[in-house]
Amino acid sequence: MLNFALAIFLLISTPGPGVLSLAGVGAAFGFKSGLRYLTGLFIGGNLVALAVVSGLGALVLANPTIRLVLLGASTCYLLYLAARIALAGSNIAFSPARRQPGVRDGLLLQAVNPKAYVVNTTLFSGFPIFPDAYGLEVAAKFAIINVIWLGIHFVWLWAGSAVKRMALPPRTQRVINVGMALAMLAVVGLAAWSAF
């Protein structure tokens, strides 16, 4: 179980679309908006895990066309989120504060996030805890994953919203927002590069 917990920590804490976008939402829009977005990520992550456990995730990952469609959809959605984060609080933004990222945005990101499928497939197909009791193993893994997942994601949200609470000058805040957006774009680039 300790190896499983360490694997969860390493797989989830590494920068990916979920944690980077969460920190970006916290930095651009604050903790309260980040909590709504975190809720969506959490629900979406658990739905992806259920898809993996039920076998649907294996079908999705086994089909190159579906994988490519997911990669394309997640890339487009991350570009959209990166733009909203980069333009938050700037004078040239196309109404960034009218609708801040919320539950729906987090849910959508997880639904098209290839990393979520790969991580859950790795965690649920490996690391046997109760090899003779599949139901108990799945329940235990869900519990362990969610506890660690929530802790890591709250830290990323706190770090992002800490930047917002510092009341930095608008130019500095804009630089941070753009930096967060560029980090998300780097993840998109790495995902596209590894897919091809």
Side-chain angles (χ1 to χ4, degrees):
M1 227 182 263
L2 202 52
N3 287 342
F4 179 68
L6 181 60
I8 296 167
F9 178 80
L10 294 174
L11 287 170
I12 295 175
S13 64
T14 55
V19 293
L20 282 177
S21 62
L22 180 61
V25 167
F29 300 105
F31 194 80
K32 189 174 179 181
S33 287
L35 278 179
R36 288 190 297 271
Y37 186 67
L38 173 70
T39 301
L41 288 174
F42 181 76
I43 294 168
N46 278 288
L47 290 175
V48 168
L50 282 173
V52 166
V53 169
S54 70
L56 180 62
L59 289 173
V60 167
L61 291 175
N63 186 322
T65 304
I66 294 175
R67 276 199 337 240
L68 189 60
V69 167
L70 275 178
L71 179 63
S74 67
T75 298
C76 291
Y77 197 69
L78 285 171
L79 291 173
Y80 166 73
L81 279 178
R84 287 180 62 191
I85 289 168
L87 298 173
S90 74
N91 293 330
I92 60 168
F94 45 91
S95 63
R98 191 175 300 164
R99 198 187 72 71
Q100 299 172 354
V103 174
R104 182 188 67 165
D105 297 290
L107 193 78
L108 285 173
L109 177 63
Q110 291 292 55
V112 297
N113 179 0
K115 182 185 176 194
Y117 289 91
V118 171
V119 166
N120 279 297
T121 299
T122 301
L123 294 174
F124 281 100
S125 64
F127 307 97
I129 299 173
F130 303 110
D132 297 329
Y134 182 72
L136 181 60
E137 179 166 328
V138 168
K141 285 183 174 181
F142 262 102
I144 296 167
I145 289 169
N146 281 314
V147 166
I148 295 171
W149 189 97
L150 281 170
I152 289 169
H153 282 72
F154 268 109
V155 167
W156 278 93
L157 175 58
W158 174 83
S161 63
V163 170
K164 178 81 171 165
R165 285 192 311 270
M166 288 180 194
L168 299 169
R171 180 172 166 75
T172 305
Q173 181 68 43
R174 178 150 172 75
V175 167
I176 290 169
N177 290 350
V178 169
M180 295 299 294
L182 289 174
M184 287 175 60
L185 293 178
V187 169
V188 169
L190 288 172
W193 183 59
S194 68
F196 299 107

